[in-house]
Amino acid sequence: MNVRFMDTSIVMNLLEIPGMCQDAEKVKKEFNQAVEAKETLILPVSTIIESGNHIAHIADGHIRREKAMQFQEFLRKTANEEAPWTLYGVTLTKEDLLVLAEEFPGKALHLKMGIGDMSIIRFYENYKATIPAIGRIMIWSTDSHLSDYQEDMTIRRRRNR
């Protein structure tokens, strides 16, 4: 089973958000291939929040309304489990919050990484540690600091035997 955690950059490309989608055609093609291959697509709640914020800040009111309506349908399909992805990372535990708090100053200063990206990484690591039947797992992103998170868990598990 291959697993992809969807970053905000992927949603921005799927919805073709102005100024936020530089690879829409490539992302949509890869998305269709992932769906056809029955890969597990994970939509972290932080991706939803960041995506909504980006849409709310579109300067052109007409485009902002159009994209907000598209995102409304995106959210409805997610909530009704009609989308090809699964909502994940709804709950931040006390431990998750403490880890984010500890790491935030350094990541913000040196990597310019925000809490949204940090929480995607945290949920990726939690998922990887708790779901046993994973093949390849990745954070699917057009941002290099997130797309580096990928590994083949079948190789890792074979080595640990």
Side-chain angles (χ1 to χ4, degrees):
M1 167 178 78
N2 292 336
V3 178
R4 292 176 186 245
F5 272 70
M6 296 169 59
D7 173 46
T8 306
S9 64
I10 299 305
V11 174
M12 296 294 93
N13 280 282
L14 290 174
L15 297 176
E16 296 187 33
I17 303 303
M20 305 293 295
C21 68
Q22 58 280 26
D23 297 315
E25 190 175 313
K26 178 183 173 196
V27 168
K28 287 180 178 186
K29 182 179 178 184
E30 193 171 341
F31 174 79
N32 288 331
Q33 290 170 341
V35 170
E36 284 177 28
K38 298 190 184 319
E39 292 186 18
T40 300
L41 300 173
I42 302 291
L43 182 66
V45 74
S46 50
T47 296
I48 291 173
I49 293 166
E50 286 183 337
S51 297
N53 286 342
H54 289 314
I55 291 167
H57 290 102
I58 296 172
D60 182 310
H62 175 72
I63 296 172
R64 184 172 57 247
R65 177 173 171 72
E66 175 189 324
K67 295 304 176 179
M69 300 288 283
Q70 275 185 296
F71 195 57
Q72 178 184 45
E73 186 61 21
F74 182 96
L75 294 175
R76 283 186 179 144
K77 285 184 176 181
T78 302
N80 292 325
E81 298 178 358
E82 298 167 354
W85 52 77
T86 302
L87 182 63
Y88 188 80
V90 176
T91 304
L92 272 174
T93 65
K94 178 181 175 180
E95 181 185 340
D96 292 328
L97 198 54
L98 288 170
V99 168
L100 293 174
E102 181 65 31
E103 294 178 355
F104 182 67
K107 298 244 178 170
L109 180 64
H110 301 293
L111 301 175
K112 296 183 180 178
M113 186 183 295
I115 291 291
D117 287 349
M118 289 177 62
S119 68
I120 291 171
I121 294 167
R122 179 75 181 165
F123 290 125
Y124 164 89
E125 295 293 347
N126 288 348
Y127 189 93
K128 194 170 68 169
T130 58
I131 305 298
I134 299 174
R136 183 171 177 256
I137 186 169
M138 67 186 290
I139 296 178
W140 185 24
S141 177
T142 62
D143 301 333
S144 61
H145 69 279
L146 290 177
S147 62
D148 289 342
Y149 286 86
Q150 55 182 306
E151 77 185 270
D152 186 339
M153 297 298 290
T154 55
I155 293 170
R156 185 172 157 194
R157 284 196 180 87
R158 275 189 232 133
R159 276 194 220 132
N160 291 341
R161 287 185 185 166

